[in-house]
């Protein structure tokens, strides 16, 4: 199928199954919802209801052939180029559809392609199929208290006992673990082999011995969690990749994350258009200083968009280090947006007066710094860019 006919079919299906979005003539401030939160900060029941709506929409898209556009045909996808996936997403933004969140994007954009690449036929026909049909959500069980950016030093252990593995360990900063059915877990299966001694697993989070404990954020929400594993028994059929291949699996998942992190910036933490509308609503859009700051912010996001297009043009190389450039751009842009909003609002950020689009930005200002760490810290991204994109000498390693 060529792109033109694909888009025609996609638009016909969206016209039949969704309502076309009509921009308000009065601007963004006429929208009822003024949320620009970076990390979920809602009631768990409300968050579950939103996730269920997004999952139901994913199931409908998959049934129509638009829910796994670029995944291989052997795992239920259509095997089309990533350009088709991005083109569909562009059209979909013009319709009112259930919003996604970080857990949903992790499930569809990170874990699903990882299972497609490294999963056994059994995993692909069960877990992956359930993901694509919108029946399960999957979180990442990677980071640990002593192994965040230095993931290779993780201590969670997996000990083989016949056809089972016994898992013991502690994971932390896990987004959405309280809402997910599975976790993609990396554990140490060989204590003497360094990063070559890691193995990946798909872990059902309802197994005996698993405890999920939410972590309260300063915004008031609890989208992050600690996950404790105490003698959790897991069948070998849920292993992802070969024994000792966990580091490669983890790098692939992280590459998918960095490749897509800049693409959904319009869905997280507001947009440049909303900041411009805020300046207009405050009557400050004619101030030369404000106009310069708004222009700089617009340029930043335009450069990010062009960077994502550049990465897309190299898609035949697969996800790689260039995704770190987009991820770093994105986190820097979010910080710049917080600075502009803080300049515009001043003390209005500190108290809820009920005025549209003012105090709501406090969640953005408090949440944006978290993305300097999430998905690999800024320092890690710069190392990747320096060593793998610019081909600079590697930094000295202490071990």
């Amino acid at each position: 199928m060529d792109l033109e006919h694909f888009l025609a079919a996609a638009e016909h299906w969206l016209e039949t199954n969704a309502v076309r979005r009509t921009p308000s003539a009065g601007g963004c401030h006429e929208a009822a919802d003024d949320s620009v939160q970076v990390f979920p900060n809602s009631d768990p029941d409300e968050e579950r209801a939103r996730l269920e709506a997004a999952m139901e929409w994913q199931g409908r898209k998959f049934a129509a052939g638009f829910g796994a556009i670029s995944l291989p045909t052997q795992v239920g996808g259509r095997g089309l180029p990533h350009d088709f996936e991005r083109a569909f997403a562009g059209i979909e933004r013009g319709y009112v559809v259930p919003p996604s969140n970080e857990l949903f994007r992790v499930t569809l954009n990170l874990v699903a392609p990882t299972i497609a690449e490294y999963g056994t036929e059994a995993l692909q026909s069960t877990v992956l199929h359930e993901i694509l049909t919108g029946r399960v959500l999957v979180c990442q069980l990677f980071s640990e208290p002593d192994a965040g950016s230095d993931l290779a030093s993780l201590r969670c252990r997996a000990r083989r006992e016949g056809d089972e593995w016994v898992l013991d360990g502690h994971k932390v900063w896990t987004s959405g673990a309280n809402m997910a059915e599975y976790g993609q877990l990396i554990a140490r299966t060989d204590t003497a082999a360094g990063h070559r001694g890691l193995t990946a697993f798909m872990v059902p989070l309802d197994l005996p011995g698993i405890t999920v404990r939410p972590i309260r954020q300063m915004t008031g929400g609890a989208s992050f969690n600690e996950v404790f594993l105490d003698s959790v028994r897991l069948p070998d059929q849920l292993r992802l990749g070969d024994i000792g291949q966990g580091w490669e699996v983890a790098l692939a998942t992280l590459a998918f994350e960095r490749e897509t992190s800049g693409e959904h910036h319009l869905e997280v933490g507001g947009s440049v258009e909303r900041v411009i509308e805020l300046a207009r609503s405050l009557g400050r859009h004619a101030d030369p200083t404000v106009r310069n700051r708004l222009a700089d912010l617009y340029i930043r996001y335009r450069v990010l968009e062009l960077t994502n297009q550049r990465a897309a043009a190299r898609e035949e190389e697969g996800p790689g280090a260039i995704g770190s450039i987009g991820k770093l751009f994105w986190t820097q842009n979010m910080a710049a947006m917080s600075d502009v909003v803080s300049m515009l609002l001043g003390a209005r950020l500190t108290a809820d007066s009920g005025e549209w689009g003012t105090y709501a930005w406090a969640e953005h200002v408090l949440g944006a710094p978290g993305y300097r760490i999430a998905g690999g810290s800024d320092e890690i991204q710069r190392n990747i860019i320096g060593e793998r994109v610019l081909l600079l000498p590697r930094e000295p390693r202490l071990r």
Side-chain angles (χ1 to χ4, degrees):
M1 177 177 289
D2 62 67
L3 184 58
E4 182 180 353
H5 285 88
F6 171 83
L7 291 179
E11 186 146 18
H12 174 75
W13 184 81
L14 285 166
E15 284 286 345
T16 306
N17 291 272
V19 177
R20 186 179 289 274
R21 193 182 301 276
T22 54
S24 170
C28 300
H29 66 276
E30 290 194 356
D33 184 10
D34 66 346
S35 174
V36 287
Q37 64 186 16
V38 176
F39 296 104
N41 185 24
S42 55
D43 176 82
D45 292 336
E46 294 176 358
E47 189 65 22
R48 170 53 70 178
R50 278 195 286 267
L51 280 169
E52 288 177 353
M55 293 165 71
E56 190 273 338
W57 178 244
Q58 166 61 24
R60 289 169 62 188
K61 287 200 297 184
F62 182 77
F66 301 110
I69 295 168
S70 61
L71 288 183
T73 55
Q74 59 265 32
V75 299
R78 294 185 66 172
L80 295 172
H82 286 281
D83 283 350
F84 286 66
E85 191 98 50
R86 283 185 287 271
F88 179 85
I91 294 180
E92 188 182 30
R93 291 190 193 101
Y95 293 82
V96 179
V97 300
S100 66
N101 72 356
E102 185 177 9
L103 175 61
F104 189 82
R105 288 189 293 270
V106 165
T107 303
L108 267 295
N109 299 340
L110 280 61
V111 179
T114 302
I115 298 177
E117 185 170 345
Y118 291 96
T120 61
E121 289 187 11
L123 274 179
Q124 292 172 355
S125 63
T126 55
V127 179
L128 180 56
H129 183 72
E130 289 178 311
I131 288 173
L132 298 180
T133 53
R135 286 183 284 176
V136 301
L137 296 166
V138 187
C139 62
Q140 288 175 268
L141 295 172
F142 284 16
S143 295
E144 299 182 5
D146 296 318
S149 294
D150 185 15
L151 186 61
S153 65
L154 63 81
R155 299 180 182 179
C156 179
R157 302 290 178 85
R159 184 180 72 257
R160 185 89 183 248
E161 289 189 1
D163 292 332
E164 290 185 322
W165 294 87
V166 181
L167 308 179
D168 289 281
H170 177 194
K171 299 291 183 176
V172 74
W173 310 122
T174 304
S175 299
N178 56 331
M179 300 282 180
E181 286 77 25
Y182 284 86
Q184 181 190 342
L185 179 139
I186 308 297
R188 185 164 298 285
T189 51
D190 187 338
T191 58
H195 67 270
R196 292 181 295 276
L198 304 176
T199 303
F201 301 91
M202 294 300 301
V203 181
L205 294 181
D206 60 353
L207 290 177
I210 295 180
T211 302
V212 178
R213 183 181 301 166
I215 300 173
R216 186 66 58 185
Q217 300 147 212
M218 64 180 174
T219 56
S223 60
F224 298 117
N225 301 266
E226 293 181 281
V227 179
F228 299 88
L229 302 105
D230 184 12
S231 299
V232 176
R233 305 192 75 88
L234 185 75
D236 185 57
Q237 290 90 335
L238 292 177
R239 174 165 42 84
L240 184 59
D242 295 331
I243 298 173
Q245 199 179 16
W247 182 246
E248 179 182 329
V249 174
L251 289 181
T253 303
L254 293 173
F256 288 124
E257 179 174 28
R258 288 158 188 159
E259 185 182 54
T260 59
S261 60
E263 293 181 0
H264 66 266
H265 70 274
L266 293 176
E267 304 175 36
V268 178
S271 64
V272 176
E273 290 75 18
R274 182 163 285 196
V275 179
I276 294 172
E277 182 65 22
L278 173 63
R280 287 198 180 105
S281 69
L282 297 172
R284 300 190 61 188
H285 58 288
D287 184 314
T289 300
V290 172
R291 291 175 69 86
N292 282 339
R293 297 289 294 275
L294 293 174
D296 176 73
L297 192 63
Y298 174 83
I299 291 168
R300 284 174 173 272
Y301 274 88
R302 180 58 177 154
V303 169
L304 173 59
E305 183 180 351
L306 294 173
T307 299
N308 289 335
Q309 291 177 9
R310 177 187 173 201
R314 299 174 58 177
E315 67 176 69
E316 70 280 355
E317 302 175 15
I322 195 170
S324 292
I325 299 176
K327 202 277 182 179
L328 187 60
F329 262 132
W330 186 46
T331 56
Q332 291 177 340
N333 288 359
M334 292 183 76
M337 182 178 288
S338 289
D339 290 343
V340 174
V341 168
S342 299
M343 176 195 69
L344 290 171
L345 290 173
R348 297 188 191 193
L349 272 173
T350 63
D352 189 358
S353 64
E355 184 180 3
W356 184 93
T358 56
Y359 181 68
W361 280 100
E363 288 197 75
H364 184 285
V365 173
L366 292 174
Y371 266 103
R372 294 184 59 192
I373 300 171
S377 68
D378 285 2
E379 291 76 15
I380 291 295
Q381 307 304 334
R382 289 189 175 96
N383 279 353
I384 293 173
I385 293 167
E387 295 176 4
R388 303 184 193 175
V389 178
L390 301 177
L391 302 180
L392 297 175
R394 291 174 63 88
E395 284 194 349
R397 265 40 175 194
L398 298 178
R399 57 183 175 83

